[in-house]
Structures are given as structure tokens and as C-alpha cells.
Amino acid sequence: MVITLKIVDATLPGREGRWSIAMQGCVITEVAPQIEASAQLTLKAKGRLVIPGLVDGHLHLDKALLLTQRPAQTGTFQEALAETGNLKQRFTIEDIQSRARDVIKREINFGTTLMRSHVEVDPILQLTAMEALLPLKHEYAWGLTLQLAVFAQEGITHQPGTVDLLRQAMTMGGDVIGSAPYVDPDPEQNIRIIFDLAQEFDCDVDFHLDFLDDDSPLLLPTVVEETLRRGWQGRVCLGHMTKLAGLTPEILREMAAMLRDAGISVLALPATDLYMMGRKDSHNVRRGVAPIDQLMNDGVTVGIATNNIQNLFTPFGDGDVLKICTLLAQTLQLGTAESHIQCLEMATTSAAKAIGVSNHGIAPGNMADLVLIGANSASEVIGTAPIERRVIKRGKIVAETHTQRILLSPEVS
């Protein structure tokens, strides 16, 4: 066996001591305290942390970096939805690709090796976003695995022709199908239509669900019912789920059991959800971030993601999933070393599982997607989101970021 790449003297999250990782081609072949076999290339970690590649499992590449075109005036969700709809009328393939390439390149540098981007398909955009993003899936495969989730943002039942457009987008090469049922006048029928398409194309489902903090009833029971009825366990992912943050502990446990038993995963999107939630609260303002730490403890597969980057829905962010980890830990008050390891899982192995990828993690037989970080512990990573990173995709180094700090003191006269 020829070891093509080996990392030695590394710290691994949740494991005592120092470790070595051997890779042959694109696969991890051995993880042990010491690996004597020589390698074509050896990286000396010097005690620094190695984690699985970061996962951004819920992102809108086609709507990223729009803030310079349309800054917020009120900052509300209604404004974001309406004004982004207006901007979409001017989207071109070249415009979408330019903004998407910027984000993808940033994320590769940060250490993202797996991404799911929603691709808006509706009577406004038609198939423009799909035509723009599909080539990027192949263009950047050397540094990042990109899943494309065909997505009906504007609703379905009141948008004639949308179902045919979704079907065309899936035929073009969509990986996943989804929608935002809460913007549809008939959300339950919206959900059923998406499951119909999922069965037609034998693909996974990804809903934006139970978002915002109004008094509308939870749609989760409908999704659970359809998941079980169609035998789609393990193939459904839900983004946002902010309404879970407002449930009593007893009801939250009931919802967690429903999610776990149906094999449905949840991705929290704290950058967006913190920005949008609780706007009508005059005091005791709600955080509005799904309590995924509690869901994880109850056996639900969970993760975090960036969602939007510098647009009306989220006027912040640069694509660094580790910064989202820090934000989540601050928001959910996760301060222990154990919870910091959980945060990293939510951004790596657990997030990958949430979007249907099981061979992601530091173990023999898994894909050799890793990040060597300029930190010595999970707590340091969560606390500082270190800049220094070396990114490995399929057993090859694809990105490096280094810093040089220079302290210039004034001359003493």
C-alpha cells in the first residue's frame, strides 16, 4: 500500500493524545497514534487540531452578495422577500456565477469541503439559476463537493408552471428537491407536491420549515406524516425550524422524538435566524435559533450552516462555517469543552449526515476531506475561529491560509 499523504502528531476532537492519519488517494486508510509506513508527503501537525472538512449544508449561492445592489431599508423578512424577488428579475447566468464563484472560493479557503446550495426555480427566474450553478458543481469539484437542491422559494400552488419547472431542473441534474411551504397559501399541498417529485426522481427532500415567529401552526407534523407514509426516513432535511425555540420543554421533547423516529434532520441557521426573529418583541426578545443542542442530545441528526451571505436576509458573513460555530455557541450558551466538540460535529460529521453523506469523518474508509487548523483544542477553535488553516480534499491539499502578526513598537528616544 502506498500512502500518498500522512498527517502526524495531530490532536483530534474528543480523543486523548496525539494521532497520525494516513491517506491513500482520496480515502483515509488508517488513524492511529503512530503510523510507521512512509508517505509521499507528510504534514507535521505539531499538536494542532485536525477536523473533518467543514460542511455548509444550507446555502443560497444564487442570492449571495446582493447587499451592495440593494441595502436594507427596514430589515424585515417581508422586505427581504419582496426586494430579492425584484432583484431576481435582473439576474443573469453571468451575474449569479460571478457571485457564486466568490463564495465558493472563500469557502474552500475556510475549509468547506461539502456544500448544499439551494437553487431557486420559479416563474421569475425560470431555470437561470440552475443553468448558472450546475457548471460550478463540476468546475470546483477539485476543492468542494456541491449538492444542488432545486428550490421553490416563491411557493407552488399559486404559481402556475412551477411544478414543470422543478421537474425540468431535476432532469438537468438537481440532487435534491425542496421548497419553503410557509410562503405558500396551501403549505400542506406544497409539502405533498415536493414529496411527489422526490418519489418521481428518487431524491432527498430539503424544506425551509417552521420559520419566523408568528402564530401559524407547526408544519412539522405534516412533514413527519408524509415522510413515514412515503418511506422517506433518513432522506429529509429541515432548515431553520426557528419555532422550536418557542416550545415548552415537554413539547420540544415530543417534537424531538418525532424527528428522531422519522429520521429527519435539522439544520440551524443562526446568522439569519438571530437577525430575523423576535422583531415584534418589545422586551425579553426571543433568540429564535432552533435548540439543536437539545435535539442532538435526544438523538436527532443536526447541523449548522450559513444560509445567506451579505444580502437582505442576512447582511453579514463571509462563508466561514467556524464563525457560525462561534455564534451558535454564544447564542445557545454552549460553554463547556464537551459542547464545543459537539459544535464541531454540527459543522462537520453530523452536518454531513444531515444532508445524506455518511462517509465524512476521521475514520478509515471515509473520504480524505480534512482541515488542519492553527489551534490545539475544540474550545480554541470555537472561541477564535483561527485564520490559519490547511485544507485537504480527497487526499490533496487544495488551500492554505497563513497569517503573519507583526507588533511594531515605537522607538524609544
Side-chain angles (χ1 to χ4, degrees), residues 187-203:
E188 289 82 7
Q189 180 62 11
N190 180 299
I191 290 168
R192 289 189 287 269
I193 289 170
I194 291 299
F195 271 102
D196 287 343
L197 289 168
Q199 287 186 304
E200 180 179 340
F201 288 94
D202 191 20
C203 68

Side-chain angles (χ1 to χ4, degrees), residues 192 195 219-231 258 262 264:
R192 289 189 287 269
F195 271 102
L219 292 169
L220 175 58
T222 301
V223 172
V224 170
E225 179 184 352
E226 291 298 320
T227 299
L228 296 175
R229 187 169 73 86
R230 317 253 187 164
M258 290 174 61
I264 297 173

Side-chain angles (χ1 to χ4, degrees), residues 276-289:
M276 285 294 181
M277 296 302 100
R279 287 175 172 265
K280 295 179 181 179
D281 295 343
S282 62
H283 58 286
N284 290 333
V285 180
R286 288 166 285 182
R287 297 190 185 104
V289 174

Side-chain angles (χ1 to χ4, degrees), residues 54 131 234 265 300:
L54 295 170
E131 292 168 349
S265 59
V300 181

